[in-house]
Amino acid sequence: MFSYYFLFIPFAIIFYAMWVDENIAIYVGLTFKLIKVKLDAARWILLYHPFWITNPISKRLSIRKYERMAEKLLKKIK
């Protein structure tokens, strides 16, 4: 039970600092926005990286795209 208080102390200090100083609250909000932007960038790189031969996720997406294009072309030909 006592170890949970050690986890609580840093958050309590941050929340107290946010309550006392508005600039810290803005900084914490911007930090979370920065984390979201970094995660979105990593997701974009993972899904749409141009070297799709080595990336299985984007390789599968590209194969599906090319299969759809082939099906459309075959329908146009017939």
Side-chain angles (χ1 to χ4, degrees):
M1 182 72 180
F2 188 68
S3 64
Y4 291 119
Y5 290 117
F6 284 120
L7 295 173
F8 176 70
I9 289 172
F11 292 109
I13 292 170
I14 292 171
F15 285 129
Y16 175 74
M18 287 172 58
W19 183 59
V20 171
D21 189 5
E22 185 179 337
N23 291 327
I24 295 175
I26 293 170
Y27 176 76
V28 170
L30 289 175
T31 303
F32 282 116
K33 286 182 183 179
L34 177 67
I35 291 170
K36 181 184 181 307
V37 166
K38 293 289 186 181
L39 289 174
D40 288 344
R43 178 181 173 269
W44 190 88
I45 289 171
L46 183 65
L47 290 177
Y48 304 114
H49 194 270
F51 301 108
W52 59 271
I53 294 172
T54 59
N55 186 350
I57 296 171
S58 60
K59 181 179 178 182
R60 179 64 186 143
L61 290 174
S62 297
I63 289 172
R64 284 180 35 200
K65 180 176 77 172
Y66 295 142
E67 285 175 352
R68 288 183 194 140
M69 286 174 49
E71 288 174 2
K72 286 181 182 179
L73 289 172
L74 285 173
K75 286 180 182 179
K76 279 187 177 181
I77 293 173
K78 291 182 181 181

